[in-house]
Amino acid sequence: HNHNLVHDEL
Amino acid sequence: MNAFRLVGDLCHLAAIVLLLLKIWKSRSVAGLSGKSQILFGLVFVTRYLDLVTNFVSPYNTIMKVFFLSSSIATVYLIYTKFKATYDGNHDTFRMEFLLIPCALLAIVVNHEFSPMEILWTFSIYLEAVAILPQLFMISKTGEAETITSHYLFALGSYRGLYIMNWLYRYYYENNFDVIAVVAGIVQTVLYCDFFYLYITKVLQGKKLQLPA
């Protein structure tokens, strides 16, 4: 799971 | 967080509040596309599944809760409370023509083939086209109430501001999400025709009337 996929936008 | 994104989120918030105000004050959903509101509800449900699993910030959580609840409330007001004023005869855009292509594209073009990521991607694609039933309805009725056009202006502006947010994040945070950016550009372009009418008509104090 590539962790840069945290979606921090609404 | 940067000013573009914050102002963008506030425009989005303003759009949703404007819509609820219009419905509540006029006690009517005339001129509103229930289908677009259903699609927006679906966008939030599929995008905010990580509401409890992935904490970003108090702001992020509060806004997600508000967007989810207000969009569900809007659908409820249109299809139950003020159903008598819902203009179904003009709200005839086929939602499946949006849902199926977005779902297929989300399965094929995504950052990661996992359920959460595919649903997030689906929500990004769907948001880009969710306003089409509303714009289609306005083109059929040939006009929109002034407050509805303010709602659309705020809604279109929010994603336009997000494009500037993505430019900012690309240059200063080395952060770039091609899926969100491309979909966001498509979404904003769909409003261009409306933006032109809004600026040349509504801001001149005229009613939004499409050329017959």
Side-chain angles (χ1 to χ4, degrees):
Chain A
H1 183 82
N2 40 345
H3 283 281
N4 73 344
L5 275 186
V6 172
H7 299 298
D8 63 351
E9 295 180 346
L10 288 176
Chain B
M1 175 59 82
N2 60 69
F4 297 119
R5 184 144 64 97
L6 181 60
V7 175
D9 288 339
L10 295 178
C11 277
H12 198 181
L13 189 70
I16 291 173
V17 168
L18 261 176
L19 191 65
L20 286 170
L21 271 180
K22 171 251 182 306
I23 295 173
W24 200 249
K25 275 173 58 182
S26 68
R27 318 283 299 159
S28 156
V29 295
L32 295 184
S33 162
K35 297 186 172 189
S36 275
Q37 297 309 318
I38 289 173
L39 294 176
F40 282 125
L42 202 54
V43 165
F44 291 132
V45 166
T46 53
R47 187 175 305 179
Y48 297 160
L49 293 171
D50 63 351
L51 180 61
V52 290
T53 60
N54 169 31
F55 180 77
V56 175
S57 72
Y59 168 82
N60 187 273
T61 302
I62 291 167
M63 291 293 266
K64 281 178 177 177
V65 167
F66 179 80
F67 285 164
L68 267 170
S69 48
S70 56
S71 66
I72 292 164
T74 304
V75 172
Y76 166 78
L77 290 176
I78 291 175
Y79 285 99
T80 49
K81 192 150 180 58
F82 299 113
K83 182 177 178 56
T85 63
Y86 170 56
D87 181 8
N89 298 323
H90 288 114
D91 191 12
T92 56
F93 196 98
R94 304 286 301 275
M95 287 193 286
E96 50 274 33
F97 289 170
L98 301 176
L99 290 165
I100 294 167
C102 287
L104 293 177
L105 192 60
I107 289 169
V108 176
V109 180
N110 51 61
H111 292 309
E112 181 193 35
F113 198 77
S114 69
M116 289 290 276
E117 190 57 28
I118 287 175
L119 283 171
W120 177 86
T121 310
F122 168 73
S123 88
I124 291 289
Y125 295 149
L126 185 60
E127 188 190 3
V129 294
I131 200 61
L132 283 176
Q134 180 66 68
L135 296 179
F136 182 74
M137 183 173 188
I138 291 176
S139 71
K140 283 191 81 173
T141 56
E143 62 177 11
E145 283 179 35
T146 301
I147 190 161
T148 306
S149 48
H150 293 321
Y151 156 72
L152 286 168
F153 181 72
L155 198 61
S157 308
Y158 126 73
R159 214 60 179 173
L161 285 160
Y162 255 70
I163 293 173
M164 294 181 211
N165 151 63
W166 290 320
L167 280 172
Y168 176 90
R169 299 192 78 176
Y170 177 70
Y171 286 113
Y172 293 97
E173 299 173 11
N174 194 28
N175 174 311
F176 184 72
D177 182 337
V178 64
I179 286 178
V181 172
V182 172
I185 289 169
V186 168
Q187 180 171 339
T188 307
V189 164
L190 288 177
Y191 282 84
C192 284
D193 175 38
F194 166 76
F195 281 147
Y196 172 76
L197 287 170
Y198 182 82
I199 289 164
T200 55
K201 295 213 171 156
V202 179
L203 292 190
Q204 314 298 337
K206 299 188 196 95
K207 194 170 163 56
L208 186 88
Q209 232 110 25
L210 299 186

